[in-house]
Amino acid sequence: DIFAIVPSQELAESLVDDYNKLNKSINITHTIGKEAIFLDVAFSMPPEPNKQIPYVDYVHLTSRLYQKPMNRYIYIPPTSYHHPSTFAAFISAEIRRYTLLCSNIEDLNACKKQFFARLLLRGYSATYLNKVFATAQFDRDLLLNECERNINLRFKDTKIDTDEPRPFTLIL
């Protein structure tokens, strides 16, 4: 899977054409537009750029969780023989993931509300869920900074030739 943000439709089409020419067996299917679904994230950008900032230099993307209509939400039931800490850990991790993926607080709250309801349907008690949800509060900016630090640490010894263009940039 490839997700790319490019400054113009012409450049996007050129990028797809170039990849398709690499090998006869490559046939990239693509969508070009102001909205895109990539894996479990729906991205969108405003129809009009910020007039104060050149559009090519800055694009404000919004993101939200995307869940496929066929998803059955078969979470670990509380009657499972997993270690007791597993239940709180997976719930907290899912809320953390929602916090990272949702740039809008209303989208985040809607995801958490749906998640809570789905866990109730799987047999979790509201009392238990309220306790776990209360402790699973995350600050999105701090999480994004943590992700950036981890990426920088992971690639700190990687030499990047600054004269060569980097083919894809994911902007969050």
Side-chain angles (χ1 to χ4, degrees), residues 57-94:
D57 294 335
Y58 175 78
V59 176
H60 177 77
L61 291 178
T62 59
S63 60
R64 62 180 168 73
L65 179 70
Y66 172 76
Q67 296 176 320
K68 293 179 180 177
M70 297 289 289
N71 191 335
R72 295 181 57 207
Y73 306 102
I74 308 295
Y75 301 112
I76 302 169
T79 55
S80 168
Y81 288 102
H82 285 79
H83 189 277
S85 64
T86 302
F87 305 108
F90 101 80
I91 293 168
S92 180
E94 193 71 351

Side-chain angles (χ1 to χ4, degrees), residues 3 18 23 44 66 76 82 91 93 130 145 148 170:
F3 178 73
D18 288 346
N23 188 304
S44 61
Y66 172 76
I76 302 169
H82 285 79
I91 293 168
N130 281 327
N145 287 337
E148 185 176 359
L170 174 61

Side-chain angles (χ1 to χ4, degrees), residues 14-172:
S14 174
L15 182 66
V16 169
D17 289 341
D18 288 346
Y19 268 90
N20 283 335
K21 291 175 186 172
L22 289 174
N23 188 304
K24 290 180 181 180
S25 66
I26 295 176
N27 184 17
I28 295 178
T29 58
H30 62 285
T31 302
I32 298 173
K34 302 283 185 195
E35 298 178 347
I37 294 171
F38 184 72
L39 303 176
D40 62 347
V41 187
F43 292 99
S44 61
M45 59 185 186
E48 291 298 317
N50 182 331
K51 301 297 183 197
Q52 304 297 321
I53 304 168
Y55 200 41
V56 177
D57 294 335
Y58 175 78
V59 176
H60 177 77
L61 291 178
T62 59
S63 60
R64 62 180 168 73
L65 179 70
Y66 172 76
Q67 296 176 320
K68 293 179 180 177
M70 297 289 289
N71 191 335
R72 295 181 57 207
Y73 306 102
I74 308 295
Y75 301 112
I76 302 169
T79 55
S80 168
Y81 288 102
H82 285 79
H83 189 277
S85 64
T86 302
F87 305 108
F90 101 80
I91 293 168
S92 180
E94 193 71 351
I95 292 170
R96 181 182 189 274
R97 187 173 76 88
Y98 293 168
T99 304
L100 278 168
L101 296 181
C102 294
S103 59
N104 181 308
I105 191 70
E106 289 82 18
D107 290 335
L108 172 61
N109 290 336
C111 286
K112 288 166 61 174
K113 185 176 179 179
Q114 287 178 327
F115 184 45
F116 192 97
R118 290 172 180 145
L119 291 170
L120 288 174
L121 291 173
R122 291 295 288 166
Y124 288 88
S125 73
T127 303
Y128 176 75
L129 292 176
N130 281 327
K131 187 178 3 171
V132 174
F133 272 62
T135 59
Q137 299 295 321
F138 299 100
D139 181 299
R140 185 168 193 265
D141 290 334
L142 291 177
L143 290 176
L144 290 171
N145 287 337
E146 178 187 336
C147 289
E148 185 176 359
R149 276 193 311 275
N150 289 338
I151 289 168
N152 289 338
L153 283 173
R154 184 173 178 188
F155 294 105
K156 70 179 180 161
D157 295 327
T158 304
K159 184 178 182 287
I160 298 174
D161 187 350
T162 55
D163 295 335
E164 291 293 318
R166 296 170 80 183
F168 299 105
T169 303
L170 174 61
I171 302 172
L172 289 177

